[in-house]
Amino acid sequence: MLTMVNQASDPSLQEYEEKKSVFIGAAAHCDSLDQAADFLESMRQAHPKARHHAFAAVAGTSPSTLSERMSDDGEPAGTAGRPILNLLRHREISQTVVAVSRYFGGILLGTGGLTRAYSAAASLALEAGRLAEIVPAADYSLTLAYRDYQPLINLVKTCKGEIRSESFTDKVSLTVVVPDPPDGQSSFIQLCNSAFPHTVLPRRLGDSSLTVPLKQ
């Protein structure tokens, strides 16, 4: 499963023109459908003279947690939001919102023409953006001595994980997220036991996810 890396403050933007109507596609990362709604509103404000602002969004980091939302925003039913959503589904892209603002050019496009135009604008925006893979991961909490801090950081980097939080008192308390390894490979807990025998005991907090940028 993939996700858009571009944030709402710097979306991927592309234009498509069909019979004098201009379609502006914008794609960005979103962590929830509420964030997707906020992004759509920002597009309305950026293009106040556009006649329609169709969109679709998919949120969730695994097939079992996916949720969707779309809108034709006054276009004939199924000609705007639905083709955008179908693109996200077909390309298996989640945590992403795509909005397409249409400036009407005075020529009716018909249902087929509208579907093609909204699909094209959305597709161009997705293709121009930066994508990353969503990989299954797990969150862990750890408490360790200061002498083990840098070696532990190095181990997390080796595992292609990330530090989520840090607290420094008489000891160091960390929350980290690490990709779940394929079957047959050592788990993060086993690696810690090998590198820090009896001194660093990670506690798994639950399932999570990480994004790994695709090579451009």
Side-chain angles (χ1 to χ4, degrees):
M1 185 176 295
L2 303 178
T3 187
M4 178 68 64
V5 174
N6 298 69
Q7 297 300 308
S9 58
D10 182 30
S12 173
L13 296 170
Q14 292 290 305
E15 270 189 26
Y16 177 81
E17 185 171 342
E18 179 73 20
K19 294 182 180 178
K20 298 185 179 181
S21 281
V22 176
F23 297 79
I24 300 175
H29 181 84
C30 66
D31 290 317
S32 67
L33 294 181
D34 286 341
Q35 283 190 6
D38 291 341
F39 179 73
L40 176 63
E41 181 58 30
S42 73
M43 290 299 296
R44 292 184 187 278
Q45 294 177 10
H47 301 282
K49 294 184 179 181
R51 180 173 290 189
H52 304 281
H53 301 274
F55 91 105
V58 180
T61 57
S62 68
S64 62
T65 63
L66 293 183
S67 55
E68 303 172 339
R69 189 176 295 170
M70 67 177 184
S71 170
D72 295 311
D73 194 36
E75 295 283 29
T79 63
R82 176 64 63 181
I84 300 172
L85 180 59
N86 286 342
L87 273 176
L88 293 172
R89 287 174 171 174
H90 178 70
R91 301 185 186 188
E92 297 184 338
I93 298 175
S94 184
Q95 300 291 85
T96 297
V97 54
V98 181
V100 178
S101 300
R102 180 193 181 189
Y103 288 87
F104 182 55
I107 300 174
L108 297 177
L109 302 183
T111 56
L114 286 171
T115 299
R116 287 192 300 272
Y118 277 101
S119 294
S123 181
L124 288 171
L126 288 172
E127 290 169 2
R130 302 186 305 276
L131 291 173
E133 183 181 5
I134 301 175
V135 299
D139 288 321
Y140 296 89
S141 66
L142 309 95
T143 301
L144 54 145
Y146 277 81
R147 67 176 181 273
D148 294 326
Y149 173 70
Q150 192 57 53
L152 190 280
I153 296 296
N154 294 338
L155 178 59
V156 171
K157 290 181 179 179
T158 299
C159 295
K160 297 182 179 180
E162 295 178 359
I163 306 299
R164 287 280 168 89
S165 67
E166 299 177 317
S167 176
F168 300 92
T169 55
D170 58 322
K171 291 190 175 182
V172 182
S173 297
L174 301 173
T175 302
V176 304
V177 57
V178 179
D180 271 342
D183 292 342
Q185 293 189 14
S186 297
S187 69
F188 179 65
I189 292 177
Q190 291 172 323
L191 291 171
C192 284
N193 290 340
S194 177
F196 312 99
H198 311 297
T199 60
V200 177
L201 303 174
R203 179 169 64 91
R204 182 170 175 142
L205 300 176
D207 295 334
S208 186
S209 64
L210 278 169
T211 56
V212 179
L214 299 181
K215 294 182 180 179
Q216 298 295 322

